[in-house]
Amino acid sequence: MTTQPLTRDWRLPAAFAALAVALFALFTIHAHWGAFLQWCLATQITLHRYLVMYLLQLNNHQYGGGLWLLTGAFFYGVLHAIGPGHGKFIVTTYLSTNKESEMAARVVPMLGSLMQGVSAILFVFILAVGFNLAAGDLSESRWYVEKVSAVMIGGFGAYVAWRAINDLRPRTLNIHSLAPLHQHSDRCSCGHHGVGAATQGDWKTRLGVILAIGARPCSGAIMILLFSNALGIVTWGIAAVMTMAVGTALSIMGLSLAVRYARNSTATFFGGNAGQLSKVVPLLKIAGGVALILFAVVLFLTVIPVSANGDYIAAGC
């Protein structure tokens, strides 16, 4: 007669330990959040002044300032991504409630961040160059653009929640004929492998994430473009803004990969059958859509009022 040794399931104690660590981290961050925001803003303003100084060096034919301009713009973008912002919230909410491939987790935030630089370029050259608006008018236009971008984020959240609600509705399946196509395996690319395929993001949702991130131009990028346009070195201004967007993209891409890894690890850790996951995943998507809507409402109501002097730095990024 042989007896099997009993094995203890450590998943629940480990989950409680991870929750305790997460709560401690959140409490620590909340305690120092105000100081962190002030440090981010002060550092961004300091970097911004250096970028203006490098533009002045280029205007005086000191072309060594061009390398420093691009380097400073890159670190400005990285710092902008580390600080609080709408792009990180959108990416985190989307990837934590949707199963995405590693390629999509890289490409979607990258394109969204690059689009943010493109939107700043279009904003300046359509309004400042095309319509010849003054600084105060540009600041008012920026105010309207941020309002519109908040509405777009809310609309994207509503779309995500609506899609998830449709997934919860019971469906009738009409079968007209049965014809076996092939034997499924882990290596086939048909995509019919349980709940994972149902939670895979589609191109419409990915496009919504890109537009929600990129529709709101960075105020620092707008200021750099305006100053470079006034000096007559627009090419350097565009290069600095796109380098800034690359720095932001790399930081947000790292965050997206970490969120994707955490989501997949959590799903693997707790396990579960396909029937349970098919009900839980839509509920998580609804929660993510509601969170995006609430975030959009807060963003819409807290847009910094128009400054009479066109103060872009105070508006933040």
Side-chain angles (χ1 to χ4, degrees):
M1 180 177 179
T2 60
T3 59
Q4 296 292 334
L6 297 177
T7 58
R8 184 184 297 272
D9 190 356
W10 292 100
R11 289 184 295 180
L12 189 60
F16 279 111
L19 179 61
V21 173
L23 290 176
F24 177 77
L26 288 175
F27 177 79
T28 304
I29 292 174
H30 180 267
H32 301 281
W33 188 248
F36 176 71
L37 291 181
Q38 292 180 359
W39 176 82
C40 284
L41 182 59
T43 307
Q44 287 188 48
I45 291 176
T46 302
L47 282 175
H48 199 276
R49 290 172 179 171
Y50 275 106
L51 295 179
V52 171
M53 182 184 69
Y54 297 143
L55 286 173
L56 290 174
Q57 290 179 359
L58 286 169
N59 190 49
N60 293 328
H61 305 289
Q62 301 177 14
Y63 296 106
L67 179 60
W68 289 108
L69 172 69
L70 299 180
T71 304
F74 177 80
F75 284 107
Y76 184 96
V78 172
L79 181 64
H80 165 50
I82 293 176
H86 71 290
K88 291 170 290 298
F89 185 84
I90 295 171
V91 168
T92 302
T93 303
Y94 172 67
L95 290 178
S96 60
T97 56
N98 290 269
K99 183 178 181 180
E100 275 290 7
S101 63
E102 184 176 352
M103 179 61 68
R106 294 173 185 268
V107 173
V108 170
M110 173 71 75
L111 292 180
S113 300
L114 293 179
M115 182 182 171
Q116 199 173 22
V118 174
S119 63
I121 295 172
L122 293 177
F123 176 86
V124 170
F125 284 95
I126 291 176
L127 298 180
V129 180
F131 292 95
N132 197 23
L133 296 182
D137 296 328
L138 283 174
S139 184
E140 184 177 1
S141 301
R142 188 269 315 164
W143 185 78
Y144 283 111
V145 167
E146 294 194 3
K147 289 282 190 182
V148 171
S149 66
V151 173
M152 291 181 62
I153 294 172
F156 173 67
Y159 172 76
V160 171
W162 175 74
R163 289 285 302 271
I165 292 174
N166 286 337
D167 291 339
L168 285 175
R169 292 177 180 175
R171 299 178 181 179
T172 59
L173 183 63
N174 298 322
I175 301 176
H176 300 285
S177 63
L178 293 175
L181 297 178
H182 69 285
Q183 295 294 326
H184 292 295
S185 65
D186 294 336
R187 297 183 178 180
C188 69
S189 58
C190 67
H192 297 85
H193 299 287
V195 70
T199 58
Q200 191 79 17
D202 57 1
W203 69 269
K204 293 181 181 179
T205 308
R206 293 166 182 168
L207 181 61
V209 174
I210 294 172
L211 292 177
I213 296 175
R216 187 172 183 237
C218 175
S219 303
I222 292 175
M223 192 64 183
I224 290 296
L225 287 169
L226 288 175
F227 196 72
S228 63
N229 179 62
L231 294 176
I233 47 177
V234 178
T235 304
W236 281 105
I238 294 176
V241 168
M242 294 311 298
T243 306
M244 188 184 303
V246 170
T248 303
L250 292 178
S251 297
I252 297 183
M253 185 173 63
L255 172 66
S256 66
L257 292 176
V259 172
R260 176 184 176 274
Y261 175 78
R263 181 193 185 280
N264 294 342
S265 299
T266 303
T268 304
F269 184 76
F270 287 102
N273 56 52
Q276 293 175 339
L277 288 178
S278 63
K279 296 179 180 179
V280 173
V281 170
L283 293 177
L284 291 176
K285 288 185 178 182
I286 293 174
V290 172
L292 287 174
I293 294 173
L294 295 177
F295 176 76
V297 171
V298 173
L299 192 65
F300 185 88
L301 297 177
T302 56
V303 175
I304 297 179
V306 177
S307 172
N309 299 321
D311 190 359
Y312 298 98
I313 300 178
C317 288

